[in-house]
Amino acid sequence: MKTIKQLRRNARRLKNDFRNGKADARRRVAIFRPQQNETALKFTDCLYVIAREQGFASWPSLKQAVELEGMDKAARRQRLKQAIYNGQIQIVKQILADDPDIAEGHFGLLIALYDLA
């Protein structure tokens, strides 16, 4: 999978191509944002199109997947701690779905996750 930076660059390119009237860009936008015209297309719309093309429901979902993809277990554990602290429930759920045993042996995480076992 690409990096966040590459995906953002692709969204910028899509927006420019759309404004310049390129058929491929217009077709791509029309698939996911059929009501868009030149003046209404925003960068966030392009991010959405990029996410949908990658098979994700939204840009935040894609960004989260890319962020978690390259992490080792220690980095994912640290990200889990941050997500719990910040109340980022979706990220907590995703990390636990990808690695259900991530908190094993870490008392603080087990308490934060209310793991009674």
Side-chain angles (χ1 to χ4, degrees):
M1 192 177 288
K2 297 180 178 187
T3 66
I4 297 293
K5 193 175 190 177
Q6 290 170 324
L7 293 167
R8 284 182 187 273
R9 203 173 303 131
N10 289 348
R12 275 189 218 96
R13 188 175 307 117
L14 175 62
K15 184 174 182 183
N16 289 335
D17 289 351
F18 183 88
R19 279 191 180 157
N20 292 330
K22 293 192 178 181
D24 182 54
R26 291 194 175 274
R27 180 191 53 79
R28 290 169 62 198
V29 170
I31 291 171
F32 300 108
R33 294 286 197 211
Q35 305 295 325
Q36 295 298 320
N37 61 40
E38 285 186 43
T39 58
L41 186 71
K42 300 176 187 168
F43 181 65
T44 55
D45 295 320
C46 295
L47 291 173
Y48 177 78
V49 170
I50 297 295
R52 296 294 294 152
E53 288 177 338
Q54 296 292 320
F56 291 87
S58 65
W59 171 254
S61 299
L62 173 59
K63 187 176 175 185
Q64 175 184 325
V66 170
E67 177 186 279
L68 296 176
E69 183 180 277
M71 292 183 176
D72 63 0
K73 191 163 189 140
R76 281 193 318 275
R77 193 175 290 129
Q78 185 62 32
R79 183 65 182 105
L80 177 61
K81 291 176 189 176
Q82 292 170 347
I84 291 169
Y85 180 79
N86 292 315
Q88 297 169 324
I89 304 303
Q90 244 350 85
I91 294 174
V92 171
K93 286 180 181 178
Q94 183 64 47
I95 292 171
L96 292 175
D98 292 345
D99 190 356
D101 299 327
I102 195 163
E104 191 173 300
H106 289 82
F107 187 67
L109 275 176
L110 292 171
I111 289 173
L113 294 170
Y114 300 108
D115 189 338
L116 300 177

